[in-house]
Amino acid sequence: MKTPIQYPKEIIKDIAGEIDIGMICLLTTDTLEVESVMGTSYTASVQSRENHIRIEPTESWQSFKIMEEFIETCIPDHDSIKNRL
């Protein structure tokens, strides 16, 4: 079983901020450099880079599904706020 790679929290925070505004992020795994590009300007040459991880923003339906799963998993059934959410 592969051990998960731990990336610095600051890098993850930067990537999260970029994808929140609709950017596609490219993480260079060798240097941990993050490059952000607009989704519409993402070209085939960028796709073919080695040692990069491509991170795309989620679709709105995916974000809602994540929120629903969080509510279902993390908030007890007897908590009154669960019904309001």
Side-chain angles (χ1 to χ4, degrees):
M1 183 174 177
K2 282 180 117 177
T3 303
I5 299 171
Q6 297 292 315
Y7 293 104
K9 288 181 182 181
E10 189 60 35
I11 299 257
I12 295 182
K13 183 179 176 182
D14 290 345
I15 291 171
E18 291 295 310
I19 64 172
D20 275 349
I21 60 170
M23 303 292 279
I24 294 173
C25 291
L26 301 165
L27 172 64
T28 306
T29 56
D30 298 337
T31 63
L32 298 181
E33 179 184 351
V34 177
E35 177 184 352
S36 300
V37 294
M38 291 296 295
T40 56
S41 65
Y42 191 75
T43 63
S45 64
V46 175
Q47 291 177 344
S48 63
R49 292 184 187 176
E50 291 184 26
N51 302 323
H52 281 73
I53 298 172
R54 177 182 175 183
I55 305 156
E56 296 185 27
T58 58
E59 298 290 331
S60 60
W61 68 268
Q62 292 169 316
S63 297
F64 285 114
K65 184 70 176 164
I66 291 168
M67 288 185 279
E68 286 175 347
E69 289 173 1
F70 173 82
I71 291 166
E72 186 62 35
T73 305
C74 298
I75 300 176
D77 288 336
H78 64 275
D79 194 327
S80 64
I81 195 158
K82 189 170 191 172
N83 292 330
R84 291 182 288 191
L85 296 173

